[in-house]
Amino acid sequence: MPLDKKWDANLIGTCLDQLDQGISVMDADLKLVFTNQKFLEIMELPESLMVPGKTHLSDVFRFNALRGEYGNGNIDNLIAERITLAEKREAHSFERVRPDDTVIKVDGKPLPDGGFITTYADVSELYHSKKALEKANNRLDERVRNRTKELANRKTELTDKATTLEMVMQNVDTGIALFDKDLKLSLWNDRYFELLNGLDSFKVVGTPIESFIRSIDENPVSGENFSEKNFLTLMNSVKNFEPYRQIRKQKDGLFLEVRRHPTPGGLLLTIADVSDQKNAEVVLRQNNEALETRVEERTSELRAAKELAERASTTKSQFLANMSHELRTPLNAIIGFSELLLMDDYTIINQEKRGEYAKDINSAGAHLLQVINDILDVAKIEANQINLLEQELDLKSIIGSCVQMVSVAAQKQSIKLTTEFPDNLPYLYADPTRLKQVISNLLSNAVKFTDPEGEIRIQVSAHTDQPCSISVIDTGIGIASDLIDHVQTQFGQIHSNYNRNHQGTGLGLSLVRLLTEAHGGTFKLESELGVGTAAHIILPSERLRSVAA
């Protein structure tokens, strides 16, 4: 704005009434000089109270005190405290929470003539963005100080009221430009050109609005590269003085809110930097998306946990049913045969029968003991209470004794048992009792589920720089691929007529896996239904020692 042009008060007043900020100006005697309509709306003050030249600041304080704006206390004391502060003519900036929980940002600044100007903004929505607002206020204070210095040199050229109104224009954080009825620039503030990035050459009264729009469109930062058709459509809207609002993202990342307001004498354009608000919205949206993702993940976890608990409950029910059979059968045999031996007239049972009954009792007791031992072993391993008594051992000897344990049962079914060992087999550092338990479990399963005339092979692969592998391979009935994981779980059994005819708790393979893992190894099961099964115990190479003699 040229220094020799005075501002039209009515035009500027109309312009200020369009702002989203309330404004009040007090003279040196604390009497009202000017307010805009937004001030009355924000502070909910009646127009009859705010009369320029008549209303004193104490009248406003009394009205607010009576309706509880300042909290509890003596009304006169509350008013006196605030008048004392006002008489100091000190700049002030604070946020006030009103009784209805709205938050009002109040900024007051002294004027050179002894009065002061105060702006009011409803910042309820941005209350939690205080850091961003403090940054903006710091910039505002700097511009106020610079502008105040400039106004000191222009005081003699401008009327007091025009100076006051211009100061208001220059100190708001919104860029403002007023175009006349011919859409030519007549008034502006510095903030408007700051936000337009390098259009300082247009700071000339009479610059047509079309030049602004063309230059903005061609600007490498803010340009939108309108087609000629779109440009003409936009200009037609401008020439019709149509209201407009848009939030535009520039290429430098800033978000600018652009508004057009028709006025009685022309068109008011405003530009506001809303980057902090938009970025906060982005963060909030991202947080919401992350929360929704986490909720979905947690729901999936809970669903999986529920399914796991249901499977565990089913497995335990199956285990109890198995235990009913596995425990009752040997106990019934023990009780039945012992009752026969306890008969008063036991002479009716010959010596051969008594020996047979005793063997049956012993066999039933041994089976019962094995069932209980398996259950206790699983419980100990899961409770980390199992202690491995490790030593260097001859793998051939261990496997040989395990083969001997099942050889009788294999011979009864004409099942061929073979072993394959590499030359120079190293010693293995392990718990011999637990290793026998693992291998004998696998051999017992292989014999149990291999048809007569079948074959069972025990293969050992052991080199000092590679893992040690012990494999039990049979030509038995095999396991369906979808049940391989199931049979390795605790109490996991395949419910079939063939399986039900064989004793077992369903703990064998689970115990094999747990004991193998206790040695730092892994257990792998491969099977094909109707072809056979291969069970692999793989132990780390660190457990191999020097070559056995």
Side-chain angles (χ1 to χ4, degrees), residues 300-313:
S300 298
E301 291 172 1
L302 292 175
R303 187 181 298 111
K306 177 177 176 290
E307 293 172 355
L308 181 63
E310 290 173 348
R311 287 198 297 272
S313 177

Side-chain angles (χ1 to χ4, degrees), residues 188 190 192-194 196-204 212:
W188 65 85
D190 291 341
Y192 184 79
F193 284 92
E194 287 179 17
L196 285 183
N197 290 315
L199 295 183
D200 288 351
S201 60
F202 289 180
K203 287 184 179 181
V204 178
F212 280 88

